[in-house]
Amino acid sequence: MSEEIERVKCLIIGSGPAGYTAAIYAARANMFPVLYQGMQPGGQLTTTNDVENFPGYPKGVTGPEMMVELQEQAERFGGDVRTGWISKVDFTGPIHKVWVEDKKEIHCDTVIISTGAAAKYLGLESEQKYLEMGGGVSACAVCDGFFYRNQETVIVGAGDSACEEAHYLSNICSKVTMLVRKDEFRASKIMAERVKKTENIEILFNTNTVEVLGDGQGVTGAKVKNSVTGEEQVVPCTGFFVAIGHTPNTEIFKGWVDLDKIGYVIGVPGSSKTNVPGVFVSGDASDKDYRQAVTAAGTGCMAALDAERYLAAKH
Ligand code: NDP
């Protein structure tokens, strides 16, 4: 038997900078937001070491510390932050229904989707080892590139993200080696051309990573193999970047809100609205271009303001 159905004005799904910022704004607007943290409380930033590019932290802050502070800030104004994840939604009617772990049912006037996205990795044991210890593996050049200034880095991938990030790294690092698994880029021509023309970017086509090499503390290189010749070589590097795509965490919204072919929520440009009245989106769940903590926080604010205006217009 399911428990009594709870009614909330504003339900926020996800606990990265987008969700917490939405909670801060919604709480201060007397919307009594309830935020479910999801499977990875704090979101992607909890797997980042130092965040040096979030305005207001001149000395930097660790990702987990920043998430604790954002949670405290949301709770200070009455935001109800809960553990647990939303397993199912039903956006058929004017009241939006969600279920917590298939049990508890909540009826919501507004829902803010802040479920984020997850970077894809190669899945190599050595890659995961250095990723977990914060020792030189990253999926975000803009976040972590600065730690490798004047050093050699490797980036895996051949899409627009990989090209953009390779170019970003080339302005910071002494050399960038790009590992492309096929004999061509997937990226748009203009992005690929820019990479090809950059002097300190070397592109290795038909090349796969065999192992991320390290000294137990940090990355020292990448063992790679040419899939045509079978030849192996070691590319020295201290930073190993992976840019092979992201998966937005939007599976539960499939069929309820409009998603693009990758799964990103399609928002109404210039706002946080989705195609469903009363359902808003913020952060990486709808952003494949910027993916920054500060942009996620900005769209979290937009979602709370849009939700507030939606409620005001109804009453
Ligand atoms: P994409 O899915 O476009 O590209 C992923 C790339 O990673 C492909 O080149 C793919 O190789 C490669 N890849 C996947 N798995 C592996 C693996 N196991 N080993 C090695 N390589 C692998 O992802 P992006 O993140 O680049 O882009 C996502 C979307 O966002 C795209 O629509 C893109 O256009 C857009 N975007 C636009 C930007 C802009 O316009 N400024 C900036 C960034 C993204 P293969 O080609 O062999 O399949």
Side-chain angles (χ1 to χ4, degrees):
M1 286 291 286
S2 77
E3 318 164 28
E4 202 181 317
I5 295 170
E6 186 180 4
R7 177 78 189 253
V8 306
K9 265 190 177 178
C10 177
L11 185 92
I12 300 167
I13 311 176
S15 56
Y20 282 134
T21 305
I24 293 165
Y25 274 77
R28 287 171 56 84
N30 273 350
M31 291 161 71
F32 310 101
V34 171
L35 179 151
Y36 274 91
Q37 289 183 312
M39 302 266 200
Q40 188 186 19
Q44 291 180 84
L45 271 188
T46 53
T47 61
T48 303
N49 270 350
D50 294 315
V51 181
E52 293 189 329
N53 55 7
F54 199 94
Y57 291 99
K59 296 189 177 72
V61 60
T62 70
E65 269 167 5
M66 188 174 153
M67 289 307 114
V68 168
E69 290 186 358
L70 278 172
Q71 178 173 346
E72 282 174 8
Q73 197 173 350
E75 287 175 333
R76 181 179 151 211
F77 301 111
D80 183 351
V81 178
R82 300 178 185 174
T83 54
W85 64 91
I86 304 303
S87 53
K88 199 167 74 166
V89 301
D90 178 344
F91 294 159
T92 326
I95 291 297
H96 305 305
K97 299 175 182 170
V98 309
W99 284 264
V100 182
E101 291 161 36
D102 284 335
K103 294 190 201 95
K104 183 181 168 64
E105 183 174 344
I106 305 182
H107 288 187
C108 323
D109 293 316
T110 62
V111 172
I112 296 177
I113 299 171
S114 319
T115 45
K120 291 183 193 165
Y121 288 94
L122 299 173
L124 298 169
E125 208 178 291
S126 51
E127 169 204 54
Q128 292 305 307
K129 176 179 154 186
Y130 286 103
L131 173 69
E132 277 159 27
M133 67 164 68
V137 172
S138 167
C140 180
V142 178
C143 316
D144 299 325
F146 194 67
F147 300 118
Y148 307 99
R149 61 190 178 277
N150 302 324
Q151 298 171 42
E152 294 186 22
T153 52
V154 158
I155 183 157
V156 184
D160 282 333
S161 296
C163 288
E164 199 166 72
E165 302 211 346
H167 193 256
Y168 181 88
L169 290 172
S170 73
N171 288 321
I172 302 170
C173 305
S174 54
K175 184 180 173 191
V176 181
T177 305
M178 203 168 178
L179 308 180
V180 175
R181 68 177 171 181
K182 291 189 188 144
D183 61 358
E184 59 180 7
F185 280 100
R186 183 190 291 194
S188 52
K189 236 187 162 59
I190 189 163
M191 305 274 269
E193 282 307 316
R194 194 168 64 159
V195 162
K196 285 181 193 165
K197 281 189 194 139
T198 306
E199 230 169 64
N200 63 340
I201 300 180
E202 183 181 5
I203 305 159
L204 302 180
F205 287 102
N206 299 312
T207 301
N208 292 301
T209 310
V210 178
E211 193 185 346
V212 177
L213 305 171
D215 57 8
Q217 308 281 312
V219 170
T220 56
K223 188 200 259 189
V224 302
K225 185 174 181 175
N226 185 300
S227 56
V228 176
T229 63
E231 200 183 311
E232 286 192 351
Q233 62 167 306
V234 170
V235 182
C237 64
T238 47
F240 183 86
F241 288 85
V242 185
I244 60 172
H246 285 74
T247 309
N249 303 320
T250 55
E251 192 60 30
I252 56 167
F253 307 111
K254 218 183 213 169
W256 297 108
V257 298
D258 288 344
L259 307 178
D260 72 9
K261 62 180 190 314
I262 305 174
Y264 287 98
V265 177
I266 301 173
V268 175
S271 81
S272 67
K273 293 175 189 162
T274 68
N275 62 307
V276 182
V279 177
F280 304 90
V281 66
S282 60
D284 288 11
S286 69
D287 174 15
K288 57 177 173 259
D289 290 325
Y290 301 105
R291 301 193 193 109
Q292 298 303 300
V294 70
T295 50
T299 55
C301 158
M302 287 166 68
L305 294 178
D306 286 341
E308 188 190 352
R309 286 170 193 158
Y310 168 84
L311 287 176
K314 273 180 73 173
H315 297 296

